[in-house]
Amino acid sequence: MLLRLPRTSTILLLATVFLSCTLILLVTGTYIRLHGERLTDSWTVTQTTSAEVAKDDLRNDGSIKLENATLVMLVRNSEVTYARSSIRSVEDRFNRHYHYPWLFLNDKPFSSSFIRLTQNLVSGNATYARIPRTHWSIPAWVDRPKARAKMRDMANRNILYGGSSSYRHMCRFFSGFLAKQPEIQKYEYYWRVEPNTQLYCDVDYDPFKKLRLENKVYGFVISMKEIADTIETLWPTVQNFTREHPDYVHANNSLDFIVDDDLGVQAGTYNLCHYWTNFEIAKLEIWNSIQYRDYFNYLDQTGKFFYERWGDAPVHSIAASLFLDRDQIHWFYDIGYFHNPFTHCPEPASVYHDTGKCYCDPRNNFDRNPSSCSEQYQRMRDKASGK
């Protein structure tokens, strides 16, 4: 049976509904904008304040002060589902409050489908760029038949990615060419985000700002040991380079992180430790410095990104350990992170889990794994503080 209201009651009811909807839109407008709704054709998102953003991150007018930084992802069109998962995680845990831009890089043109399925997830501007062919190809000085033979040999020995040429291009790209991309050069900082990764904790501050205020230039979450068979001659090559450029090694370096025997660069043995670079928050000036450019070019001329399988993780980590002041490196311990198959899950539970900040299982924390280099990193920090 239909309930018929008097005309006056109907008008009052409609007015109440209208006012309620208006209030809901005003209250939830922040939510909609924070979650990446398309606001303009140019994808310029109006920044919105949030009670979860620290007060010192706000301007007087309530807008959020951003660093000159971007989130960057190297991704294939076929990885769009994994890319969307990572974007959603970073936006929900961090970027919905800040709206930092995203830069997507690919060695092939991005498909219209990839762009459509990702641009509605980001809360800041999105840029899609193709990597120049010269940054994703085998250089002229590499003996291609020799490289193919080396790849077959490593594949036959079941070395991870031993037979993959695309993996080698990726490692060489991140080692030497990320900072050369025209689309990234206008920024001071970047946060590398990999497809199919997850943030397990709320990031309730601006990591870029933290680096700037604390004079840090490189940040990581997981450290581990490299597969020795992939970098058989990397350390001797580094030793040769530092012999030619002893002045490049910083007086307050973090050699203790990568060498256990206290014998220095020339006599010491590399312990295989590196920062896992699929999560990396850093200042681009590191990779644009004369020290690093000379270092990368020296390594690249050997051809061993292809003859062996030198990874960007040990290449970056050795450089950071030698050329940077140890106090410029930061462990983002409070950021829970997963990249298959490893998890960084901060402890103790009373601080990170009972409060609802994180939802990972501390029992899966890779820091407990014998292959973790957390102990070496802490040892280096302890020596720096005189402990």
Side-chain angles (χ1 to χ4, degrees), residues 46-66:
T46 302
Q47 295 177 6
T48 310
T49 63
S50 167
E52 298 181 49
V53 175
K55 289 183 179 179
D56 61 354
D57 284 342
L58 303 179
R59 297 188 180 94
N60 291 334
D61 63 1
S63 61
I64 302 172
K65 294 180 289 189
L66 296 184

Side-chain angles (χ1 to χ4, degrees), residues 149-344:
K150 292 288 187 180
M151 289 183 206
R152 285 195 299 270
D153 174 66
M154 293 182 76
N156 291 336
R157 290 189 283 145
N158 295 316
I159 296 172
L160 186 65
Y161 302 118
S164 173
S165 59
S166 64
Y167 190 84
R168 286 169 167 80
H169 287 306
M170 181 271 291
C171 291
R172 182 172 178 260
F173 171 78
F174 276 120
S175 294
F177 300 108
L178 174 64
K180 288 189 173 184
Q181 301 312 295
E183 297 79 11
I184 207 172
Q185 289 178 355
K186 63 182 177 181
Y187 298 108
E188 289 185 66
Y189 300 92
Y190 70 93
W191 179 339
R192 177 176 165 185
V193 180
E194 286 283 296
N196 202 25
T197 57
Q198 293 292 314
L199 296 183
Y200 282 143
C201 300
D202 290 331
V203 184
D204 49 9
Y205 62 94
D206 187 341
F208 300 119
K209 182 176 182 179
K210 183 177 183 65
L211 291 186
R212 179 177 61 80
L213 292 180
E214 298 184 8
N215 194 30
K216 311 286 188 182
V217 297
Y218 189 84
F220 71 99
V221 291
I222 292 178
S223 57
M224 63 176 61
K225 294 181 179 178
E226 182 60 292
I227 301 169
D229 287 342
T230 66
I231 54 166
E232 290 180 345
T233 64
L234 176 58
W235 183 245
T237 306
V238 171
Q239 290 175 313
N240 289 338
F241 175 77
T242 56
R243 194 174 294 116
E244 294 182 20
H245 300 279
D247 54 313
Y248 283 3
V249 179
H250 199 287
N252 192 38
N253 61 67
S254 51
L255 186 64
D256 293 332
F257 173 64
I258 58 173
V259 172
D260 294 330
D261 48 25
D262 293 324
L263 296 178
V265 180
Q266 295 306 320
T269 301
Y270 179 40
N271 61 14
L272 306 178
C273 283
H274 67 269
Y275 305 118
W276 210 24
T277 50
N278 48 68
F279 178 106
E280 189 173 64
I281 304 178
K283 199 168 186 179
L284 281 157
E285 69 176 23
I286 306 172
W287 320 126
N288 287 322
S289 68
I290 185 64
Q291 294 93 331
Y292 188 81
R293 297 316 312 171
D294 287 350
Y295 164 81
F296 169 73
N297 290 334
Y298 189 92
L299 299 183
D300 197 30
Q301 287 295 319
T302 68
K304 292 185 179 177
F305 282 101
F306 297 95
Y307 300 147
E308 296 184 18
R309 204 221 65 191
W310 290 358
D312 55 285
V315 169
H316 271 192
S317 302
I318 290 172
S321 298
L322 294 178
F323 308 145
L324 298 180
D325 186 319
R326 67 175 65 201
D327 294 328
Q328 293 182 299
I329 299 173
H330 179 70
W331 184 4
F332 283 102
Y333 182 83
D334 59 327
I335 298 181
Y337 175 73
F338 172 77
H339 183 301
N340 190 42
F342 302 122
T343 294
H344 170 68

Side-chain angles (χ1 to χ4, degrees), residues 3-19:
L3 178 62
R4 297 185 180 278
L5 297 175
R7 182 179 180 84
T8 302
S9 299
T10 302
I11 294 172
L12 288 172
L13 177 61
L14 290 173
T16 302
V17 170
F18 174 78
L19 290 172

Side-chain angles (χ1 to χ4, degrees), residues 22-79:
T22 301
L23 180 61
I24 289 171
L25 286 172
L26 288 172
V27 172
T28 59
T30 293
Y31 177 86
I32 292 171
R33 286 194 296 272
L34 288 176
H35 282 72
E37 200 69 20
R38 182 171 182 174
L39 300 181
T40 69
D41 289 337
S42 63
W43 283 88
T44 300
V45 177
T46 302
Q47 295 177 6
T48 310
T49 63
S50 167
E52 298 181 49
V53 175
K55 289 183 179 179
D56 61 354
D57 284 342
L58 303 179
R59 297 188 180 94
N60 291 334
D61 63 1
S63 61
I64 302 172
K65 294 180 289 189
L66 296 184
E67 300 299 321
N68 184 17
T70 187
L71 299 148
V72 61
M73 180 184 292
L74 176 66
V75 59
R76 301 184 184 97
N77 289 311
S78 60
E79 296 175 309

